[in-house]
Amino acid sequence: MKSPFPLLLIFFAILFKGCLDETSNKNINYSAYLFTYFVGNGPGEEAIHYALSDDGFNFYALNNNKPIIDSKSISTSGGVRDPHVLRGEDGSFYMVVTDLYVPEMGWNNSAMVMMKSKDLISWTSSVVNIPETYPDEFGGVNRVWAPQTIYDPKAKKYMLYWSMKIDEGIDIIYYSYANADFTGLEAEPKQLLYKDGACIDGDIIYKDGKYHLFFKNEDNGAKGIMMAISDQINRDYQVQEGYVDQTNHAVEGSGIFKLIGTDKYILMYDVYMNGRYEFCETSDLKNFTVIDQNITMNFHPRHGSVLPITLEEKEVLLEKWGAFSGSIVGSASPLAKRNNLVIDEETNSIYIPVKESVDITAFDPALKLSSGASIAPYGAQDFSKGTVPYFLSLSGKQGSQKYNVRVAKDHNPVLDGYYADPEIVYSEQLDKYFLYPTSDGFMDWSGTYFETFSSSDLVNWENEGVVLDLKVDVEWADRNAWAPAAIERKMGSSYKYFYYFTAAQKIGVATSDNPAGPFVDSGKPIIDFKPKGVTGGQEIDPDVFHDPVSGKDYLYWGNGYMAVAELNEDMISIDESTIKVLTPDATYREGTEVFFRQGEYYFLWSEGDTRSPDYRVRYAFMESPIGPLTMPEENLILSKDEKTGIYGTGHCSVVQATGTEDWYMVYHRFTRPMGIEMGSSAGFHREVCFDKMEFKIDGEIKVIRPTLSGI
């Protein structure tokens, strides 16, 4: 009788090989990430681009953000979109893209491109035209969108899945397996996901024994990324309830990848109407948290995918497409105003604004670099005499690139981070100034809390923390915390502070004994109605004013219209019989500010949309706190300054420095320098600034030039 051991060895060898087939990629030592993407719908923009990241959060474009392959050489249309790249079990890389050139074809196409590479640089390609390949069943196909590839360990084949629309039908996600050489499909496509309504942009990831299919729901115009789950890769997906994206904007093109060496995943998707990407983090594929504040990119991607790669693969890509341009990506110095750093690749110059307290004779800019880059000199340098030359070197590149680095103490913006709609109050009780802004940086102005900042000199500001949290402190509203106003009133021997705020397009009021809060909500809105005769606009943007002549207090509010009413003695209710509409003219949008100087009442407002670079401030004189208004011939006093890259200047308040004749305007602007490139999203990423306010002899306000230096 023969020994059973050889048979057992053969059995275990086969079993072991099967395990390797399913898990071989898990043993690769990954150290970086490759992001494949395209950049837009215009001529030349539908092409494959590459970007690298060492940590999955900070990405930088390769090849100066130019295509890594000519779309015309691989497609029938001349354009390719939605690149998805996969590491194969055989050591090859597989990429699939949509074959579509929107400028000529609109949104109708019939083909996709299948690609294969050994090194991520040289690719072979084949076009798969669905109606030509399968004319009987799919001859009426007029959309073939966003293909992706996944390895099926049971079938030991690569499965492609994508969305198609046939004739006047709806978009449905189908699948088919690739042939052995990845040049076509081995069989007619089959439906992968069954659900009511249309769906596109599928993306599958395997976790905890189940396949998770993310997709864009297009049912009846609905928005959002949904998820379906199955035990099997190619059937029985069950659609889960709700959306996984974390925005109210329309999104598409989701892609999910796992962070190397962790149990965390990053879900990214294209917020295409806003020209931006959003990134979310999750550990369970159920709960997602937006982490955009941790993400940097020196490019603007459209629908793409991320692939973990090795150090060797990264170095090959850097040697081929690495460039000096884009290799300096920021500053890690906590003393720098990192949001405002300017890297100008055309002039090879870097501008680093720093805080007032910084010693620029010994400052280390701690420049952040892309992979494979190094820079000299190192450590602290003396920037007090002008620019300091730095020399950038790249792995695989000969020579170095010189950059002139300048450091300056810019006072604008005055607060770290994103804030808007600033209100300023001087507290006699504490002999301090208090700044009350909108907390910004939230899409659709979706912040839910307010902070305050204090200063003794209008230059250095200390964060006093949250003074009112809608979700905790307010019962009647929990969203859209906007545009507060505040006032200090001495009542008897004590001081009281009244805080008027916008929440859910209503105006509330809260009180405190301390200008730093916390404030206690009155329990109901003070304004939740439109004045008589007003049909449009919103009940937002309060302003409170104490008239030093009459001793009365007034509340102003409105968007699209401006209304005023006398406050009652309790300061938490109005005398509705005094309501008056004071809309100055068609330039009025929002952001009322009223102040009194040398016997004159001034009425300021913002014109335009806060998402527009042309957002600006105008003013009028008033004979009394309730009008009438008199317009100066030239009443535009604050607007953008393109030379300094300052845009979106508006929604202001005004303060007189105590004990002086000096007046200042505090306002918000787009974040600089990136705001002007963010499209409408700049209206959610604003910064608070101060500049001096001066008057002519007749009392008219001189034009205020927005500055970087501030006050």
Side-chain angles (χ1 to χ4, degrees):
M1 182 176 180
K2 293 184 178 179
S3 168
F5 287 104
L7 294 175
L8 287 172
L9 288 172
I10 293 172
F11 171 77
F12 283 118
I14 294 172
L15 179 63
F16 182 64
K17 182 181 184 301
C19 292
L20 282 179
D21 286 343
E22 293 192 28
T23 64
S24 58
N25 281 343
K26 295 180 181 179
N27 299 319
I28 297 175
N29 185 20
Y30 298 116
S31 67
Y33 304 83
L34 172 65
F35 190 172
T36 60
Y37 59 97
F38 76 106
V39 297
N41 303 327
E45 294 180 337
E46 294 171 297
I48 300 166
H49 293 245
Y50 277 177
L52 288 180
S53 173
D54 285 335
D55 57 11
F57 297 96
N58 300 284
F59 292 89
Y60 52 93
L62 292 176
N63 199 32
N64 290 317
N65 199 28
K66 297 177 182 177
I68 57 94
I69 192 169
D70 183 0
S71 297
K72 295 178 181 178
S73 69
I74 60 173
S75 68
T76 57
S77 67
V80 297
R81 305 164 60 92
D82 320 315
H84 179 264
V85 63
L86 175 75
R87 181 185 299 275
E89 299 298 303
D90 58 356
S92 296
F93 297 95
Y94 298 91
M95 190 186 300
V96 285
V97 293
T98 304
D99 187 343
L100 174 63
Y101 185 56
V102 169
E104 293 182 359
M105 303 167 64
W107 297 106
N108 293 322
N109 73 317
S110 59
M112 57 184 170
V113 183
M114 299 174 65
M115 305 168 64
K116 187 174 181 179
S117 173
K118 288 292 185 181
D119 56 8
L120 293 169
I121 294 175
S122 299
W123 293 87
T124 59
S125 63
S126 301
V127 173
V128 179
N129 186 295
I130 296 297
E132 289 181 2
T133 308
Y134 305 103
D136 293 339
E137 184 69 21
F138 296 103
V141 162
N142 52 39
R143 283 213 290 247
V144 177
W145 285 359
Q148 296 202 175
T149 311
I150 187 171
Y151 182 70
D152 183 342
K154 291 185 178 180
K156 293 183 171 52
K157 293 185 290 189
Y158 296 98
M159 187 183 93
L160 276 69
Y161 54 101
W162 67 97
S163 67
M164 290 195 297
K165 186 172 81 71
I166 304 173
D167 295 325
E168 299 303 317
I170 61 173
D171 297 278
I172 295 172
I173 296 178
Y174 291 82
Y175 80 96
S176 182
Y177 287 94
N179 59 20
D181 56 3
F182 206 77
T183 57
L185 306 178
E186 69 170 20
E188 189 174 88
K190 298 179 180 179
Q191 188 167 345
L192 177 66
L193 178 64
Y194 291 84
K195 65 174 290 292
D196 294 332
C199 53
I200 62 172
D201 294 355
D203 181 47
I204 299 174
I205 192 168
Y206 183 73
K207 174 175 165 55
D208 298 333
K210 295 183 181 296
Y211 293 93
H212 298 72
L213 169 60
F214 294 85
F215 62 92
K216 179 189 178 184
N217 178 37
E218 294 227 311
D219 185 18
N220 296 323
K223 48 76 57 190
I225 306 298
M226 300 183 72
M227 181 172 62
I229 300 176
S230 176
D231 295 329
Q232 302 184 69
I233 195 170
N234 60 6
R235 63 174 63 89
D236 300 334
Y237 282 94
Q238 301 300 310
V239 176
Q240 308 299 293
E241 293 186 3
Y243 295 97
V244 298
D245 62 281
Q246 303 296 301
T247 177
N248 292 323
H249 286 288
V251 299
E252 64 186 17
S254 67
I256 191 163
F257 62 95
K258 190 174 183 181
L259 288 174
I260 298 167
T262 76
D263 62 353
K264 295 180 179 179
Y265 296 79
I266 302 297
L267 173 69
M268 61 184 192
Y269 39 83
D270 187 352
V271 191
Y272 57 95
M273 297 289 287
N274 291 69
R276 69 179 185 88
Y277 244 63
E278 187 163 274
F279 289 75
C280 300
E281 187 175 272
T282 179
S283 295
D284 57 12
L285 302 190
K286 296 178 182 178
N287 301 288
F288 298 85
T289 302
V290 176
I291 57 165
D292 284 357
Q293 69 277 8
N294 300 327
I295 302 295
T296 62
M297 296 183 288
N298 64 348
F299 56 98
H300 296 286
R302 299 292 312 279
H303 192 161
S305 61
V306 171
L307 175 75
I309 60 175
T310 66
L311 175 61
E312 294 76 16
E313 291 161 350
K314 180 184 76 171
E315 289 180 342
V316 167
L317 293 172
L318 284 171
E319 185 175 355
K320 175 68 175 177
W321 286 303
F324 291 111
S325 176
S327 292
I328 301 174
V329 296
S331 169
S333 171
L335 302 176
K337 295 185 176 183
R338 286 174 281 185
N339 286 346
N340 307 115
L341 182 142
V342 180
I343 302 172
D344 189 335
E345 298 288 359
E346 291 186 3
T347 61
N348 290 336
S349 63
I350 301 174
Y351 178 80
I352 306 176
V354 297
K355 301 175 183 178
E356 174 70 18
S357 59
V358 173
D359 178 8
I360 64 172
T361 66
F363 173 69
D364 181 2
L367 293 171
K368 293 172 62 178
L369 308 174
S370 64
S371 289
S374 60
I375 200 163
Y378 308 99
Q381 306 296 318
D382 183 0
F383 289 92
S384 63
K385 299 176 183 178
T387 61
V388 173
Y390 278 69
F391 296 89
L392 178 72
S393 300
L394 289 182
S395 175
K397 299 287 183 183
Q398 292 185 352
S400 62
Q401 179 70 62
K402 178 183 176 182
Y403 284 83
N404 289 315
V405 180
R406 183 162 71 95
V407 174
K409 293 185 179 183
D410 284 349
H411 296 152
N412 284 334
V414 297
L415 305 179
D416 291 334
Y418 299 127
Y419 296 93
D421 312 323
E423 165 81 341
I424 190 166
V425 171
Y426 171 69
S427 169
E428 292 183 355
Q429 179 187 13
L430 300 182
D431 189 24
K432 273 187 173 183
Y433 301 93
F434 285 83
L435 196 55
Y436 302 97
T438 297
S439 298
D440 209 21
F442 305 99
M443 294 308 297
D444 302 317
W445 311 290
S446 57
T448 59
Y449 62 87
F450 297 97
E451 296 174 88
T452 191
F453 299 80
S454 65
S455 173
S456 59
D457 59 9
L458 294 174
V459 174
N460 299 288
W461 293 88
E462 179 181 354
N463 191 334
E464 299 283 356
V466 174
V467 294
L468 190 73
D469 186 331
L470 300 185
K471 291 186 176 293
V472 176
D473 305 320
V474 178
E475 292 185 357
W476 52 269
D478 65 355
R479 60 182 173 84
N480 301 124
W482 301 344
I487 193 170
E488 177 188 68
R489 300 291 284 114
K490 191 170 185 180
M491 296 181 165
S493 60
S494 61
Y495 288 87
K496 194 86 169 177
Y497 299 87
F498 297 90
Y499 187 80
Y500 305 88
F501 61 95
T502 305
Q505 286 73 45
K506 302 181 181 74
I507 295 171
V509 56
T511 60
S512 178
D513 295 326
N514 190 311
F519 285 85
V520 178
D521 180 52
S522 67
K524 61 181 181 180
I526 187 173
I527 304 293
D528 60 356
F529 59 90
K530 295 187 187 301
K532 185 177 180 180
V534 173
T535 57
Q538 301 179 84
E539 290 61 65
I540 65 173
D541 290 9
D543 184 50
V544 59
F545 172 68
H546 176 73
D547 181 11
V549 177
S550 68
K552 294 180 179 180
D553 295 283
Y554 295 88
L555 184 70
Y556 304 82
W557 73 92
N559 163 282
Y561 70 91
M562 202 289 294
V564 60
E566 231 179 271
L567 282 159
N568 292 322
E569 287 188 12
D570 61 9
M571 299 291 288
I572 62 172
S573 62
I574 62 169
D575 180 349
E576 295 191 16
S577 69
T578 66
I579 294 175
K580 186 176 182 179
V581 176
L582 281 179
T583 311
D585 61 16
T587 66
Y588 181 88
R589 177 66 173 262
E590 59 198 10
T592 297
E593 168 70 3
V594 176
F595 69 95
F596 183 80
R597 174 187 175 273
Q598 296 183 2
E600 296 274 12
Y601 296 94
Y602 292 82
F603 176 83
L604 282 63
W605 68 91
S606 292
E607 175 188 5
D609 191 310
T610 191
R611 293 166 292 189
S612 166
D614 294 314
Y615 195 55
R616 51 194 182 176
V617 175
R618 294 185 181 272
Y619 84 104
F621 292 107
M622 295 197 298
E623 293 183 15
S624 76
I626 58 171
L629 304 179
T630 301
M631 297 285 190
E633 186 174 340
E634 298 294 334
N635 74 335
L636 177 62
I637 53 172
L638 180 70
S639 59
K640 66 185 179 184
D641 185 348
E642 293 179 305
K643 290 183 179 179
T644 52
I646 298 174
Y647 298 90
T649 52
H651 202 125
C652 68
S653 61
V654 172
V655 66
Q656 181 182 14
T658 181
T660 76
E661 292 300 317
D662 295 329
W663 288 78
Y664 300 98
M665 177 182 284
V666 53
Y667 58 94
H668 71 236
R669 72 180 190 199
F670 285 179
T671 184
R672 179 189 180 274
M674 294 304 297
I676 194 60
E677 300 179 11
M678 296 172 72
S680 62
S681 292
F684 316 126
H685 297 83
R686 297 164 292 180
E687 300 171 332
V688 171
C689 301
F690 275 80
D691 274 303
K692 192 166 186 179
M693 190 177 198
E694 296 180 309
F695 300 84
K696 300 177 183 178
I697 295 176
D698 61 3
E700 289 192 0
I701 302 173
K702 294 182 179 181
V703 173
I704 299 166
R705 183 176 67 87
T707 69
L708 303 179
S709 56
I711 63 172

